[in-house]
């Protein structure tokens, strides 16, 4: 049994599962269909893009040690 990370439907044993790798965690995210998997990929891309934008907008701070 698993819950789709996208639509939250609960699926039982014997059903197909479509895994998408998480960008922030070292886990695979279960999805109930290819459509949900594609939406999860888009969400993961947006999470990663937000992180990239945050890194780009960080100021460089100079200090002496």
């Amino acid at each position: 049994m698993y819950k789709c990370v996208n639509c939250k439907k609960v699926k039982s044993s014997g059903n197909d599962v479509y895994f998408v790798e998480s960008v922030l965690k070292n886990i695979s995210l279960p999805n109930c269909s290819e459509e949900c998997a594609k939406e999860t990929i888009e969400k993961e891309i947006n999470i990663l893009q937000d992180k990239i934008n945050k890194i780009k907008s960080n100021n460089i701070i100079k200090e002496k040690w």
Side-chain angles (χ1 to χ4, degrees):
M1 182 186 291
Y2 73 92
K3 184 190 280 188
C4 177
V5 296
N6 187 49
C7 70
K8 310 299 185 214
K9 287 183 185 174
V10 176
K11 296 290 192 167
S12 60
S13 298
N15 288 90
D16 291 338
V17 60
Y18 301 84
F19 287 107
V20 173
E21 188 176 335
S22 172
V23 296
L24 299 179
K25 303 171 192 166
N26 193 19
I27 60 171
S28 295
L29 305 171
N31 292 270
C32 64
S33 66
E34 285 188 43
E35 292 80 21
C36 279
K38 288 176 183 178
E39 288 180 26
T40 300
I41 288 171
E42 288 301 315
K43 289 177 185 178
E44 291 295 305
I45 289 170
N46 289 334
I47 291 169
L48 190 54
Q49 188 62 51
D50 289 344
K51 288 286 188 184
I52 290 169
N53 291 338
K54 188 174 182 179
I55 291 169
K56 284 181 177 181
S57 67
N58 281 343
N59 294 325
I60 298 173
I61 300 171
K62 180 181 175 182
E63 291 186 8
K64 290 196 183 229
W65 286 27

